[in-house]
Amino acid sequence: MKDTFKHKGMRQQLVDSIREHGGIKDEAVLSALNKVPRHLFMDSSFIDHAYVDKAFPIAADQTISQPYTVAFQTELLDVKSGDKILEVGTGSGYQCAVLIELGAKVYSIERQQELFKKTSKFLPKIGYRAKKLVFGDGYKGLPEEAPFDGIIVTAGAPFVPTPLLSQLKVGGRLVIPVGDDVQTMTLFIRKGPKEFEKQEFGKFRFVPLLEDKN
Ligand code: SAH
């Protein structure tokens, strides 16, 4: 569980390239990315892949999102320290760690039991404490903890689940990639009890947000 000078140097280069070529402007987001040792979130044989700007396989046929995508979604979420954030799709826990670095109180849901168990053990081991990691179906959100300042979905959603919109505070933001094979990054801002503003960004490719097996 080491974070060496070599890792730090490679990470700095990656962050610089996301700033320069990716057009990410939020320095708080870039600095959070620079703090999280992404190589520790991957199986050790893949460590050399940790600091290239690519998604990568983790356990249970899932992926750790591409660093640029994590930066892009996190920038759209516009996290302030102390914000209550719900993440759908805990996966490796990498995005969760980035949110914790930004001072967010993170609730995260994962439907794959294997990943849920692995990540629940791993995150505290390297010092990242989420408020709550939940094994369950992200389509339903987390009504018992709602409302949230922000909700981030890290899998491709075929449609926008209504519970996620209704679990936002007024002023809150939902960042969700919407689509089947290719997704459009979509931001909803809750303007009032029944009023949402919708903005669309570029195309991305995520593993699918799966509906409950039960
Ligand atoms: N945020 C993760 C990305 C993981 S990929 C990271 O930083 O590594 C997306 C994750 O969403 C996968 O782990 C997948 O199992 C999970 N997922 C898919 N459908 C889901 C659902 N309905 N509810 C919760 N999680 C889901």
Side-chain angles (χ1 to χ4, degrees):
M1 292 292 185
K2 272 196 204 147
D3 191 25
T4 63
F5 278 119
K6 185 177 167 215
H7 291 124
K8 290 190 171 97
M10 289 167 78
R11 194 154 67 239
Q12 180 72 60
Q13 276 183 9
L14 172 65
V15 168
D16 288 344
S17 110
I18 290 174
R19 179 192 292 108
E20 281 151 35
H21 308 295
I24 302 296
K25 292 189 178 65
D26 189 334
E27 285 298 328
V29 170
L30 292 164
S31 143
L33 246 71
N34 208 5
K35 285 185 190 140
V36 181
R38 187 169 188 262
H39 61 283
L40 299 182
F41 293 74
M42 301 163 76
D43 293 332
S44 56
S45 48
F46 299 133
I47 274 178
D48 285 347
H49 299 272
Y51 297 112
V52 288
D53 194 15
K54 290 204 171 124
F56 212 78
I58 50 172
D61 281 334
Q62 298 303 322
T63 58
I64 176 168
S65 301
Q66 184 178 342
Y68 168 70
T69 305
V70 172
F72 195 92
Q73 285 196 280
T74 309
E75 187 170 62
L76 285 182
L77 198 60
D78 195 19
V79 182
K80 316 230 178 359
S81 185
D83 276 1
K84 191 172 179 183
I85 302 291
L86 174 66
E87 176 190 29
V88 174
T90 315
S92 69
Y94 177 68
Q95 171 75 69
C96 179
V98 169
L99 293 169
I100 292 171
E101 285 287 1
L102 285 165
K105 300 189 183 104
V106 186
Y107 297 75
S108 185
I109 312 177
E110 173 57 55
R111 75 181 281 287
Q112 284 268 3
Q113 190 150 34
E114 182 192 343
L115 270 174
F116 164 73
K117 283 189 181 155
K118 191 174 170 188
T119 301
S120 304
K121 268 197 192 159
F122 168 71
L123 276 178
K125 209 152 93 186
I126 61 163
Y128 289 111
R129 285 175 210 288
K131 274 278 163 193
K132 210 184 231 182
L133 298 177
V134 180
F135 172 58
D137 177 15
Y139 274 93
K140 302 188 178 80
L142 206 56
E144 65 272 28
E145 300 291 350
F148 297 96
D149 297 292
I151 301 179
I152 177 171
V153 179
T154 68
F159 59 90
V160 181
T162 318
L164 299 186
L165 287 170
S166 61
Q167 290 172 27
L168 283 178
K169 287 183 191 169
V170 171
R173 297 157 87 91
L174 168 64
V175 178
I176 180 167
V178 187
D180 291 315
D181 298 333
V182 178
Q183 295 86 34
T184 303
M185 192 60 74
T186 311
L187 167 67
F188 291 89
I189 304 175
R190 188 167 204 169
K191 294 289 184 185
K194 289 189 176 160
E195 226 184 306
F196 294 88
E197 179 187 304
K198 178 182 170 187
Q199 292 176 43
E200 291 185 332
F201 297 85
K203 302 281 182 199
F204 291 79
R205 234 176 243 276
F206 285 78
V207 295
L209 186 68
L210 296 172
E211 299 208 54
D212 225 340
K213 290 179 222 162
N214 310 314

